[in-house]
Each structure stands twice: as C-alpha cells, then as structure tokens.
Amino acid sequence: MIGFGTKFLVRVLLNGLGLYLAGRYLPAFTLEGGIQALLVSALLIALLYSIIRPILRLITAPLVWITFGLFNIAINMALLWAADAVLDELIIGTIPTLFYLSLILALANIF
C-alpha cells in the first residue's frame, strides 16, 4: 500500500517531468529560473491538483457528467492559469498552450 506522502512525491516528480517536456516542445510556454523554478512550479501544481481540484470536481460534477468528463480539461486549465498567476517564473503565453499543457499534466497525473 502506497501512502499519501509517496503518492504526492510521485505527483510532484511527474508534474516536473511534464513541465520540463512542455518547456521543450511548447513554444509559448517558458519556465525561467532553472531546476529550482521547475521544482517550485511542480510542487504548487501538485498542491493545487491535490487540494483544489477535488473540490472543483465536486462542485462542477453536473457539468462533468453532461460533457462526459470533458469539463475536467477546463478545471485543469483553470488550475494551471492560477499557477501562472501566482508564479512569476511560469509563463503560459496563449490559450492553446494552456490547453496542451493541461493535457500533458493530466496524462502525468494519471499515474
């Protein structure tokens, strides 16, 4: 049985990997500040996904059901937009980049 701390650490590492890959392949996404900024961003996103996302999913459950789960993408985009607003090192330039980044991090958080 894996504990919450181990799951959270894995989530931080996978978010960091997702952010690193997004920085390499998405032109309108930049993460300034090196490895420290990457870890801080991954930690903040993991916290948002662990604490805020379940609350948002509960509140928006009817929309998620009506859209067959596609509204989860909007929830992920909102959380990434909030992380972008809080962190100066994280710059998401366009809405399509926000969309693709949310898909990348959603795939990373499946595991």
Side-chain angles (χ1 to χ4, degrees), residues 12-75:
V12 170
L13 293 175
L14 288 174
N15 282 332
L17 177 64
L19 289 172
Y20 174 76
L21 292 174
R24 297 208 30 119
Y25 295 110
L26 295 177
F29 174 75
T30 56
L31 186 61
E32 300 170 348
I35 191 78
Q36 182 180 2
L38 180 70
L39 290 175
V40 168
S41 299
L43 180 65
L44 177 66
I45 291 171
L47 282 171
L48 288 173
Y49 274 51
S50 296
I51 298 170
I52 304 297
R53 185 172 179 230
I55 296 168
L56 288 176
R57 288 184 72 187
L58 181 65
I59 292 170
T60 62
L63 285 173
V64 172
W65 294 333
I66 289 170
T67 62
F68 300 109
L70 291 176
F71 195 74
N72 285 323
I73 296 171
I75 293 171

